[in-house]
Amino acid sequence: MAQTPVEPPVHPQTPQEIAKTCRKVGDVASRDGRPQFLKIAPESAARLAEIGLDRAGIFALMAETSIPETVGCWAMPVGNFDSQLISVGMSQWNFGTGSLQPVLKAWRAQFRSGRAYRKAVRELAPVYGKLLFSRDCLKVPVGDKCRAGVLAAHGSDGWLNPVIFAELTAIFESDEMLQVQADHYVELLEAVRIDLLRVFAGQPITRRKVRWAVDTKVQQGFFPLDEDLARVRGKLAAMPESERWDRLRAIFNWYRSLSLTIDQDGVKRDFDWNYQQWNCMIDKGMIDPEAYEMLHLTFIRSRTAVGNSGRWQALTFSRRAKIILGIGSVSGRRDGNCTG
């Protein structure tokens, strides 16, 4: 899963252009036309139903997760711009955090024989397949030979060269890899289910909470500890009503000030508009108690985002705040409007 949001350098073919022709995330048909060919284990489906997710809901969340990660594509490989070496797939699994290696191993394991696996690699990745599936690249962390080989596959602009880009796309858009990606995403949702029942113990598990938890899990991997939850909730419970909205405005002020600093990326097109919209929501009484608490939980988790020494903290907050409030801008995409 991604450590940082995808916002790579400018490239001759933009993500939006790639999205016009890529294989889109969803409950798609197979290459040979079989509808809904991706499998979800019945026991997993039953557990996810406990938090209100049926098959359609699972794939809807999968597509939603992929939009900020890959503009909705199953592949969209990117290079080392965020120090993760290679990130690819609808959750932007990467070598840097060690999340890509299990995905590659799972794809290899789907083939019934070594001959079938080698044939698939020759067809999909004849140039870089040997490197990508080498022992050195499947280690965590990757070995020196893998690192050197992948870095050599980057162009002078910092992007992956067209050959490795095309080969990674072919692998991650294959039917076999779609199943692997779906399996890993369902596994993530099952972990999210456990986290939701802990973080919101005794509370209704709403769709908003599920979406928030998925985005937190994908981007940061874990949630606030019980002691942090208890401390913050204790402070919220003891807080005088007269301080309620000033405290929330202080979080929005933190977000805006952080966005203005020299080493925050991914928010330049968004933060000022978000700041105006979210304060407008306070002014108009549009923030309910559930959203109020979730914004504080988002604040304590976003301020500990450590990727690139905290480079993405503001973007991390804005992604979650947009989910919570239903109004916000992320990567230039604006949804909702409070100010009119």
Side-chain angles (χ1 to χ4, degrees), residues 237-249:
M239 182 177 61
E241 183 65 26
S242 60
E243 296 181 10
R244 182 174 181 81
W245 300 112
D246 286 342
R247 295 289 192 179
L248 185 55
R249 289 188 199 276

Side-chain angles (χ1 to χ4, degrees), residues 2-5 82-84 97 219-220 263-265 301-302 304-313 316:
Q3 178 182 357
T4 56
D82 58 355
S83 304
Q84 303 308 309
T97 63
Q219 286 299 307
Q220 293 188 265
D263 197 41
Q264 287 296 302
D265 286 324
R301 189 69 190 94
S302 298
T304 60
V306 297
N308 291 159
S309 297
R311 178 185 174 192
W312 308 97
Q313 289 178 356
T316 298

Side-chain angles (χ1 to χ4, degrees), residues 9-15 17-18 157 159-160 162:
V10 176
H11 189 263
Q13 191 177 19
T14 67
E17 290 170 337
I18 294 168
D157 58 2
W159 274 73
L160 296 170

Side-chain angles (χ1 to χ4, degrees), residues 180-191:
V180 169
Q181 294 192 64
D183 290 343
H184 277 253
Y185 193 79
V186 167
E187 183 179 336
L188 178 142
L189 289 180
E190 292 212 59

Side-chain angles (χ1 to χ4, degrees), residues 26-51:
D27 200 359
V28 297
S30 67
R31 292 292 193 190
D32 59 9
R34 288 173 290 131
Q36 296 187 323
F37 78 103
L38 295 171
K39 299 176 183 176
I40 298 174
E43 57 272 21
S44 295
R47 285 189 289 267
L48 293 177
E50 295 175 8
I51 57 171

Side-chain angles (χ1 to χ4, degrees), residues 1-6 65 68-70 82 90-92 94 97 188 212-223 301 305-307 312 315-317 319-320 323:
M1 65 188 72
Q3 178 182 357
T4 56
V6 172
T65 296
E69 299 293 341
T70 64
D82 58 355
M90 53 79 54
S91 280
Q92 287 290 273
N94 58 77
T97 63
L188 178 142
W212 174 87
V214 169
D215 200 67
T216 302
K217 191 79 169 179
V218 168
Q219 286 299 307
Q220 293 188 265
F222 62 95
F223 297 84
R301 189 69 190 94
V306 297
W312 308 97
L315 181 51
T316 298
F317 180 81
R319 283 181 58 154
R320 244 69 91 214
I323 289 171

Side-chain angles (χ1 to χ4, degrees), residues 91-222:
S91 280
Q92 287 290 273
W93 293 286
N94 58 77
F95 278 136
T97 63
S99 58
L100 177 55
Q101 291 89 322
V103 175
L104 295 176
K105 289 178 181 178
W107 182 80
R108 183 179 63 182
Q110 285 210 336
F111 295 93
R112 295 184 178 180
S113 68
R115 177 179 295 180
Y117 158 70
R118 290 190 292 272
K119 180 175 182 290
V121 172
R122 286 195 302 270
E123 290 176 351
L124 299 174
V127 177
Y128 287 99
K130 186 175 180 180
L131 170 67
L132 293 170
F133 292 95
S134 67
R135 182 177 301 176
D136 224 36
C137 278
L138 296 181
K139 292 194 303 186
V140 180
V142 298
D144 292 340
K145 289 183 179 178
C146 174
R147 176 171 292 277
V150 170
L151 290 176
H154 284 67
S156 59
D157 58 2
W159 274 73
L160 296 170
N161 72 45
V163 176
I164 193 171
F165 179 93
E167 291 187 357
L168 282 165
T169 298
I171 292 169
F172 275 78
E173 288 189 350
S174 68
D175 284 351
E176 293 80 8
M177 186 56 95
L178 263 60
Q179 184 64 62
V180 169
Q181 294 192 64
D183 290 343
H184 277 253
Y185 193 79
V186 167
E187 183 179 336
L188 178 142
L189 289 180
E190 292 212 59
V192 163
R193 169 185 164 273
I194 295 170
D195 287 319
L196 278 168
L197 296 176
R198 175 183 68 84
V199 174
F200 299 107
Q203 298 184 22
I205 303 301
T206 62
R207 176 78 171 180
R208 171 164 56 183
K209 287 173 179 169
V210 173
R211 293 174 62 222
W212 174 87
V214 169
D215 200 67
T216 302
K217 191 79 169 179
V218 168
Q219 286 299 307
Q220 293 188 265
F222 62 95

